[in-house]
Structures are given as structure tokens and as C-alpha cells.
Amino acid sequence: MSSERARLTALYGGLLVLAGALLVGLVYLLVSEGLYASVLTAVAPAVPAGATAPAVRSGLATAPALPSSDWAQTVVMQPGQYAVAQRVSTAAGDAALSQLLTVSGISLAVYSALSVALAWWMAGRVLRPVGVITARARRLSGSNLHERLALKAPPGELKELADTFDGMLDRIEALVAARQRFAANAAHELRTPLAVQRAAAEIGLADDPPPEKVAWIRDKLIDTAADSEQLIEGLLLLAVCDEGLRRRERVGLDATAATVTEALEAEVKERSITVEAETRPVSVEGDPVLLDHLVHNLVANALRHNHPGGTVRVRVGPGGLEVANTGPVVDPATVPLLFEPFRRAQARRHAPGEGAGLGLSIVASIARAHGGEASATANPGGGLTVRVVLPTCP
């Protein structure tokens, strides 16, 4: 049997035929158990006194009308009369059982044919949603991932399977769309510094420029190369985070926040920003390097997307890490998009130290790798509050 429908038909049909055969056998057994005694009870009163088996066979003895059942229960039979009654009841019982067996066999044959046909029809009905799922899965490609089964069926295992398949397609479509956007944005971001470098080399160095211009072009090329290096490092870090953690150890999140804040003191003084730190001892299980990147990206973003005289608040507690900053007003509708790669709250100005737009996407990826979650809200007066919830160690 090469198809599930044939297998289900054989299973359902076989069970139905087996049930029918058992029913026929049970009826035959129950009928045969009491048939001879019942026939003998009914025939005995009809045998005349003094009748013998030859007389009954030749028709010389006539059978009187059947008496009442009460009389049949109290009648006293002679030996010859009982022998005749017993022979007649045996012949009648055999004939009745033979007829019952014949009718039962015919009925069982018809019932078996109907059972197989019904099993074939039911198997086709049961497997129809599976056929729909199979056909849709064969047609799926990158161009029609938006299609869904939307199976209309009563609640059950097959309905749940179809809904699960639709949910899987939703996740695959979102993942493919995110990868496509990421590839397009990465290509655009990498093409920009290459275009700047080429323009500086072709235009700036043409016609034997003076030493001052050559020095300016050199600095420009170095800055562009540094931006490209930062972008590539961010892409590699994002890819590493998406692959998951390769090592785990106990890391003090409060100590990491203190170390990162201390390392950024020079930038804090340069931008005239006040950093307020409130930390309590919290330990998490994870990769110390990735957790250091997570805290560094959050604090560095809070410093760069701020204004002179602004404030950055860093809080570490049992709930995880929270970094809030003052700065430009952010549209609340755009906040969830900031966790996607190359998304910025403001248009890119191509200014030095602007960043590649990977900061929050790397934070979200590192948080997911550690079994946590990153979220952000826009502050009414400007700036963002980013919260990272991580599973803590006892």
C-alpha cells in the first residue's frame, strides 16, 4: 500500500469487517445454544401418543393442533414419542442454523463491501486537509510566502496542524523580510563609505593637489575607513549574537555597568553630560564579552543621542538594566523600529562618530541570546528609556 488513504481504508475496513464477523459468530453461538431445546419443547406436544419414527416419516400419524404452552410443560411423554420429537427437533434446528448461517454470510459479505467503501470515503475526508497542506507547501517559495492555508474546519488535530503551519509561515515571512531588509541596508551602508573613498581619491587627488589638501584627504580616508571598520565589526557581532552563546559564566551586571561607565568618562566630559548610576549587586549567567557590548552600546547611545548638559541615568537591579537619557524628542511610533538594524531616530548626517545604526539591534540580539528581552519607551521630555530584562542567578 503506497498511500495513507489505502492504509487507513485497510485499517478502518478491517476493523469494521472484524466487528461484523464477531457479531455474526456471537449471534450464531447464542442462537445455537438454546435452539434445539426450544424446538424440542415446541415439537413434543405435537407428536401423537404411540407414534414412532417410521410412522411420522411415512405420514400415517397425523399431528394434532399444538396445545397451550402450559400443557406442553406438564405433559408426560412416552419413550417412543420422545425419540420422534427429538429427531424432528434436531432436523428443524439444523435447518434453522443452516439458514441462519447462509443469511449471516450474505449479510456479512454485503456489510464488508459497504464497510470498505465507507472506510475509503472517510479516509479521503480525513486526509483532505493534509492534501491541502501538502499542495500549499509544494507551491511555497520566496515570492508567495504571504499565502496561508486558513483551513476552514471544526476544532481538532488537523485544524491545529493547519493553524500551526500558518503560524510557522508568519515567522518565516517575517524572518525572510528582516533578512532582506538587513542585506539591503548593509549593502547601502557599505556602499556609502566606499563611494566617499573613491570620490576623495579620484577628485581630491587629481591635478597634483597641494600638501594641505592631501593631508585633508588622508584624514577623510582614515575616518571613512574607521567607520567601515566599525560597521563591519557591528555586523560580525550581530551575526555572533544570532548564533547563540558559545560559553556561559557568572557575570556581575553591576560591575560591568561600572566598568563601562568608567571607560566612557572621557566622552562624558567632552559632551558635558551628567551620568547618574544606581547599581545593586546582580549576577547573570552568560558571556561576559557580549554583556559588556550590551551595556556599552546602551550607555554610548545614551551619550551620543543627547544634548550638552543632558543627563544619562543607569540603573542595575534584580529586574535587569535600565538606561535613560535626555535628548531630542522621539516619536513613540518609531521606537519599536529602532531595534532593527540600521534604523535611526533621526536622519543620517554622515557626521564623525555617528555610528552605523546597529546599537539597539545588537542590544536586542544579545538579550535574546541570554534568554532576556529588550524594550524602549520614548520619554515625554525627549530621549529614550531602554530596559533590558535578563534572567538573574540566585
Side-chain angles (χ1 to χ4, degrees), residues 1-2 8 16 23 70 84 87 96 107 119 126 128 156 174 176 199-200 210 263 281 294 303 305-306 346 368 374 382:
M1 296 182 184
S2 59
L8 288 177
L16 290 173
L23 179 61
D70 293 338
V84 172
R87 179 172 298 182
S107 301
V126 170
R128 188 177 303 166
V176 170
L294 182 147
L303 293 174
H305 299 282
N306 213 319
Q346 298 176 342
R368 286 193 301 270

Side-chain angles (χ1 to χ4, degrees), residues 157-201:
E157 285 78 3
L158 291 177
K159 174 66 174 175
E160 184 178 356
L161 174 62
D163 293 342
T164 303
F165 189 81
D166 286 342
M168 180 189 67
L169 290 180
D170 290 336
R171 295 189 295 272
I172 292 176
E173 184 183 15
L175 179 61
V176 170
R179 294 299 182 186
Q180 289 175 345
R181 290 195 304 270
F182 178 81
N185 292 331
H188 176 73
E189 295 288 337
L190 289 171
R191 185 174 58 183
T192 300
L194 292 177
V196 172
Q197 291 177 4
R198 182 172 181 176

Side-chain angles (χ1 to χ4, degrees), residues 43-67:
V43 168
V47 178
T52 60
V56 172
R57 286 198 299 269
S58 62
L60 297 177
T62 60
L66 288 175

Side-chain angles (χ1 to χ4, degrees), residues 113-186:
L114 292 177
S115 298
V116 172
L118 180 62
W120 178 262
W121 178 75
M122 284 300 299
R125 248 185 108 74
V126 170
L127 294 175
R128 188 177 303 166
V130 178
V132 173
I133 296 174
T134 303
R136 183 62 54 84
R138 287 174 179 170
R139 291 199 307 268
L140 282 178
S141 64
S143 60
N144 61 351
L145 281 177
H146 62 280
E147 296 184 8
R148 297 293 180 270
L149 294 176
L151 184 65
K152 295 180 180 179
E157 285 78 3
L158 291 177
K159 174 66 174 175
E160 184 178 356
L161 174 62
D163 293 342
T164 303
F165 189 81
D166 286 342
M168 180 189 67
L169 290 180
D170 290 336
R171 295 189 295 272
I172 292 176
E173 184 183 15
L175 179 61
V176 170
R179 294 299 182 186
Q180 289 175 345
R181 290 195 304 270
F182 178 81
N185 292 331

